[in-house]
Amino acid sequence: MCGIFGIYNNTRAAELATLGLFAEQHRGQESCGMAVNDGITIKLRKKMGLVKEVFRPEKLIDLQGDIAIGHVRYPTRGGASEYNAQPHLVETLSGPSYALTSNGDLVNYAEAREVLESKGVYFASTNDGELLLKYIVYEVEKRGTSIPEAICRMMKYVKGAFSSVLATKEEMFIFRDPYGFRPLTYGELENGSIVVASESCALDILFPRWQKEVLPAEIITVSRNGITTMKNDPMEYRSTANDRHCIFEHIYFSRPDSYIFDENVYLIRQRIGCLLAEDDDVKADLVIPVPDSSNFMAMGYAKKRGLHFELGLIRNHYVGRTFIKPEQTIRDETVYQKFNPLPNFFQGKSIILVDDSIVRGTTIRKIIKMIRNAGAGEIHLRIGSPPVKYSCYYGIDTPTSEELIANSKEIDEIRSYINADSLKYLSMEQLKRAVSKPEDYCYACFNGDYPVR
Ligand code: SF4
């Protein structure tokens, strides 16, 4: 998962991009980067680390210009290295001329890279974003096509998830894959600057005059003359009749204050909680979320059943998201750094614990142990998604299928492994009832029905 941001025609481009990237820090914490155009050249800064570390005010002095595109990354394809950090740049004879950032993974990366390499295209990283950029630049520089036309050609051939922004010295191009896997929103600020971000929460802080979602397969050109959009028919580029937005954006990834895929994330989470409470009559004193992504689910659950909602676990916000840490050893240690139970809170209480999903099962097992050690009586775990059984190939770092606990264990075996008194998952049918247009979503990590392979 990654977050992207772009801003066009603003003398404070790097400063505002820093704010936008900071608002999207939850989407990736391994590295971040920014490319800024001053009309003569495109300057690049990308480093391992958080936005507030990499883009300290004194560093922004070197990033003057009025077009900026940026990225926060957690690694999916390619390791955690500065080479794989984004944006990627392509220099032509006249200097660095193209920069691109993207969110998503490509399913035919290896094949597409081989084709480009056979034509003499050089790759500096193993990151999907570089492939998108090199494909487009090859079409423009070698075949003489326009950039929007090159993006169309790329969309015909390159398969997978990409919500992207490309900057040249004069223009900015915003485009999204034909399935619309990852969110992408753009808008206009009061002074006429055009902004784009993975999530609406990153635009809200700049008080845009308007904002709307980029459509699947749409290509938006932003130039000194304004905005022109190419609304491609996604059916020309994909094999499914409907969009395939990632349902996990609503369950876990996106911030609850974002509006994505034409829905309020927090409302979907509340609805999931209500649906989880349907036909659930387990007795308990309290409903407790595993913070933060499950907060609204637990609220919805408690409200539906008329039970008390309490924040019994406190999360240390200065530790990264457990799921996002790429190595198992780091992931295990951070569980204890990340959560702590309230003192003298759980003693003798029977609780309903709500979490958004179970991936490997190791994190929730430790959380349950922690709550039991704090004196809880019964712990009934409720999960706001169906069992995760399959890996994601569209930009989420789920482990291999073999590592997913629900791939090899039945629900009661999972309950026993994590040591919960009872365990209930949201059903697929309930999950589909939580969104307005269920036919427009990808559920492949639950049912193995991959829209594109
Ligand atoms: S496989 Fe799962 S995580 Fe990946 S895009 Fe589909 S719903 Fe999202």
Side-chain angles (χ1 to χ4, degrees), residues 181-182 246-248 391-392 394 396 442-445:
F181 282 108
R182 301 280 149 232
C246 173
I247 195 73
F248 241 110
S391 289
C392 175
Y394 313 124
I396 304 289
C442 171
Y443 306 95
C445 48

Side-chain angles (χ1 to χ4, degrees), residues 225-244:
N225 301 323
I227 298 176
T228 51
T229 68
M230 190 190 268
K231 283 190 170 59
N232 286 309
D233 177 2
M235 291 302 294
E236 280 182 30
Y237 301 88
R238 71 185 185 198
S239 56
T240 60
N242 291 89
D243 297 346
R244 285 289 181 263

Side-chain angles (χ1 to χ4, degrees), residues 4-6 20 24 183-186 195-200 202-203:
I4 68 169
F5 188 88
E24 294 187 321
L184 191 61
T185 300
Y186 74 115
V195 282
V196 57
S198 294
E199 284 186 43
S200 64
L203 299 189

Side-chain angles (χ1 to χ4, degrees), residues 1 161 181-182 244-249 251 253 388 390-398 441-446 449-451:
M1 180 58 56
F181 282 108
R182 301 280 149 232
R244 285 289 181 263
H245 311 311
C246 173
I247 195 73
F248 241 110
E249 292 279 353
I251 294 168
F253 287 108
V388 178
Y390 304 95
S391 289
C392 175
Y393 299 99
Y394 313 124
I396 304 289
D397 183 30
T398 43
Y441 283 87
C442 171
Y443 306 95
C445 48
F446 308 120
D449 182 9
Y450 292 101

Side-chain angles (χ1 to χ4, degrees), residues 5-18:
F5 188 88
I7 181 162
Y8 185 90
N9 192 21
N10 196 298
T11 49
R12 296 169 61 209
E15 200 183 320
L16 299 188
T18 302

